Amino acid sequence: MPGEFYVENKAEKVSLETVESSLAGLNTKADAIKARTDNLAGENPWQGATMADWQTVEANVVSIGAAGIRNKIHDLTLSIHNLVGTQIRVRLYKKVNGAERKVYDQSFDATSDPMGLPVINGTWAIHDVLRVTLQSNNAADNGKAVDYDYMLEKMLS
């Protein structure tokens, strides 16, 4: 009969409609898997620079992520090549149970530490904004650019 065939070694008939429906279901599942695996490539790197009066007050370098959006941050590097302070203090802030909290605080010396600081060197999951700040102990750093570079990967729900 047209539209039917016998499965080898089985005595039951399978309609072409059943086969097509099963293939469509498999294609839908394959598309969902592909969307997840394509996401593993992450986003394009985020790069930029911020100029501020670093010695006057702790100033924002960059804010990463967005409220309610889940991301993995794989790298955050700051460049202090323009600075001369002996105490370059880098801090990270994120919300903990709805209130912004300091979660990282480290001092560097622009005259002896590497020019590129791997502040996050690994993977860290965030679900809100991660705020990166910097402060210097040297007024000569005011108005100088601090470069940043980071990699994000959106986490799908």
Side-chain angles (χ1 to χ4, degrees):
M1 190 167 226
E4 294 184 354
F5 62 92
Y6 287 95
V7 176
E8 192 174 314
N9 297 327
K10 288 196 174 186
E12 67 182 68
K13 293 180 182 180
V14 177
S15 73
L16 186 55
E17 191 175 298
T18 301
V19 171
E20 288 173 341
S21 175
S22 295
L23 285 175
L26 286 174
N27 281 336
T28 299
K29 289 178 182 178
D31 288 345
I33 291 169
K34 183 179 183 325
R36 296 271 183 187
T37 56
D38 286 351
N39 188 57
L40 295 175
E43 298 179 14
N44 289 328
W46 294 81
Q47 300 174 333
T50 302
M51 292 190 320
D53 287 341
W54 306 111
Q55 188 268 334
T56 308
V57 294
E58 174 184 16
N60 291 335
V61 177
V62 63
S63 292
I64 300 169
I69 304 296
R70 297 181 307 161
N71 288 293
K72 293 177 191 170
I73 181 166
H74 297 290
D75 172 68
L76 167 62
T77 302
L78 300 181
S79 176
I80 57 172
H81 70 280
N82 292 324
L83 307 182
V84 295
T86 56
Q87 287 187 348
I88 307 298
R89 195 165 176 185
V90 176
R91 297 179 187 106
L92 302 179
Y93 296 88
K94 70 181 244 181
K95 286 189 179 175
V96 178
N97 197 22
E100 187 181 67
R101 303 287 186 216
K102 180 171 48 176
V103 295
Y104 175 88
D105 188 342
Q106 187 168 352
S107 289
F108 300 92
D109 184 336
T111 65
S112 63
D113 282 329
M115 295 293 124
L117 307 176
V119 178
I120 296 176
N121 183 13
T123 300
W124 195 13
I126 58 175
H127 58 87
D128 212 303
V129 175
L130 178 67
R131 190 167 62 95
V132 182
T133 69
L134 186 139
Q135 187 172 15
S136 171
N137 69 337
N138 194 319
D141 290 338
N142 289 339
K144 300 289 174 81
V146 171
D147 299 337
Y148 59 85
D149 188 302
Y150 62 92
M151 290 287 300
L152 279 183
E153 175 187 338
K154 286 192 191 300
M155 297 173 67
L156 301 175
S157 53

